[in-house]
């Protein structure tokens, strides 16, 4: 028994050493930034988070300054007062991955020290499944934008955030008549939200394919960030994996996060990024 215990102890020590050697080290993010820019679409713009079909950037999970959201900006400002007032929102409502290159140029012109990216929902949430962005095109768009950031802001920290699970959106809203009415009336994300109560196999398969497209997009975001280098971090699907509820969505469109949803988005995404 003594020999067995010694052998097990030796094996445990070797295993720990192997893990220590092979586990990738997280690079020191350096000092907190003194400026930041957020890139993305209507989610980052805080659309419908405080008014009827309007952007509400003060509630943005990334660069918003409303205390109830406790955005990335406010969390950084708490430890780095130098960032005060330098929270630029370059996202655009309705933007797709193809628009990210232009937004990256804005971040470069602003000299951002920290850039958040949340893009891709509109590449999957289209009028029909057939009009979704292809995975190859999506990756090319992401690479183009990241290359522009890396060239223009070589020292900036870039945080790429996963696309939320749109299938979860359908799941929590399909039994709500208000949600179904809004989705139909405003033609919201029909690629997955069309015929929301249907259990026909064709509709089930369609929803699963759209969800898989989002999963594929997230895989490309992770790979593109890895290729970028140590100044880029991916959230490890933290946002994609979060089980958003109907109460965290706007009561006007049942698609965009309300102020509570934006607060949750900040809480879920920030710890998975840079440890400032």
């Amino acid at each position: 028994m003594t020999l067995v215990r010694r052998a097990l102890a030796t094996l445990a020590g070797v295993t720990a050493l192997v893990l220590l050697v092979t586990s990738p080290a997280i690079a020191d993010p350096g000092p907190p930034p003194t400026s930041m820019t957020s890139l993305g679409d209507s989610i980052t713009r805080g659309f419908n988070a405080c008014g009827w079909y309007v952007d509400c950037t003060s509630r943005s999970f990334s660069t918003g300054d409303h205390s109830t959201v406790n955005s990335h900006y406010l969390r950084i400002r708490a430890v780095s007062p130098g960032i005060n007032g330098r929270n630029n929102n370059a996202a655009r409502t309705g933007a797709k991955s193809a628009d990210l290159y232009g937004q990256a140029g804005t971040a470069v012109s602003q000299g951002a020290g920290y850039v958040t990216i949340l893009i891709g929902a509109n590449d999957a949430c289209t009028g029909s499944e057939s009009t979704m962005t292809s995975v190859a095109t999506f990756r090319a768009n992401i690479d183009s934008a990241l290359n522009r950031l890396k060239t223009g802001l070589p020292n900036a920290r870039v945080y790429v955030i996963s696309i939320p699970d749109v299938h979860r959106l359908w799941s929590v809203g399909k039994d709500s008549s208000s949600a179904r009415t809004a989705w139909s009336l405003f033609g919201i994300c029909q690629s997955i939200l069309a015929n929301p109560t249907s259990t026909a196999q064709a509709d089930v398969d369609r929803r699963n394919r759209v969800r898989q497209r989002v999963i594929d997009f997230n895989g490309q975001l992770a790979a593109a960030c890895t290729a970028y280098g140590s100044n880029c971090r991916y959230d490890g699907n933290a946002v994609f994996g979060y089980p958003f509820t109907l109460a965290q969505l706007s009561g006007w469109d049942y698609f965009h996060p309300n102020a509570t949803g934006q607060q949750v988005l900040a809480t879920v995404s920030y710890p998975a990024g840079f440890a400032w």
Side-chain angles (χ1 to χ4, degrees):
M1 291 297 292
T2 300
L3 290 176
V4 172
R5 291 194 191 95
R6 288 176 179 173
L8 289 174
T10 301
L11 179 59
V14 171
T15 301
L17 180 60
V18 169
L19 289 174
L20 181 63
V21 172
T22 60
S23 297
I26 299 298
D28 185 340
T34 56
S35 64
M36 69 176 292
T37 299
S38 56
L39 312 183
D41 52 33
S42 53
I43 296 177
T44 301
R45 292 292 294 179
F47 186 80
N48 268 359
C50 70
W52 169 257
Y53 273 74
V54 294
D55 291 342
C56 190
T57 55
S58 67
R59 265 72 165 185
S60 170
F61 78 92
S62 176
T63 46
D65 58 9
H66 199 278
S67 60
T68 59
V69 172
N70 198 17
S71 66
H72 289 214
Y73 164 67
L74 290 181
R75 292 166 192 255
I76 294 171
R77 194 178 71 176
V79 296
S80 178
I83 200 173
N84 188 42
R86 304 186 68 188
N87 50 324
N88 303 296
N89 193 320
R92 289 294 176 268
T93 293
K96 295 184 178 183
S97 60
D99 301 303
L100 196 60
Y101 182 82
Q103 294 182 21
T106 299
V108 171
S109 70
Q110 293 168 341
Y114 174 49
V115 179
T116 67
I117 299 174
L118 175 51
I119 196 77
N122 292 326
D123 290 87
C125 280
T126 58
S128 68
E129 181 187 358
S130 64
T131 55
M132 293 190 299
T133 303
S134 72
V135 176
T137 297
F138 181 81
R139 176 58 184 272
N141 291 338
I142 298 302
D143 282 341
S144 179
L146 288 181
N147 286 338
R148 190 171 196 181
L149 287 175
K150 191 170 186 177
T151 300
L153 299 170
N155 297 316
R157 300 299 188 263
V158 177
Y159 185 27
V160 178
I161 298 168
S162 56
I163 306 163
D165 187 352
V166 295
H167 192 276
R168 172 74 184 180
L169 173 69
W170 165 79
S171 179
V172 301
K174 64 181 176 61
D175 295 324
S176 165
S177 60
S178 297
R180 294 195 306 268
T181 298
W183 295 344
S184 176
L185 182 63
F186 299 112
I188 296 170
C189 196
Q190 292 299 283
S191 55
I192 198 167
L193 299 179
N195 305 322
T197 59
S198 172
T199 57
Q201 194 61 48
D203 288 316
V204 172
D205 292 344
R206 168 178 52 83
R207 295 182 199 119
N208 288 335
R209 287 193 298 269
V210 176
R211 183 175 192 266
Q212 185 59 52
R213 184 63 57 92
V214 171
I215 291 172
D216 292 342
F217 284 166
N218 282 334
Q220 294 304 316
L221 290 172
C225 188
T226 296
Y228 189 100
S230 61
N231 279 358
C232 184
R233 290 193 183 169
Y234 179 64
D235 77 347
N237 287 327
V239 168
F240 175 80
Y242 180 79
F244 283 95
T245 68
L246 199 64
Q248 294 162 346
L249 301 177
S250 165
W252 292 309
D253 63 15
Y254 295 91
F255 180 77
H256 294 91
N258 57 22
T260 300
Q262 289 284 346
Q263 187 274 331
V264 168
L265 191 54
T267 299
V268 171
S269 63
Y270 190 77
F274 296 93
W276 288 309

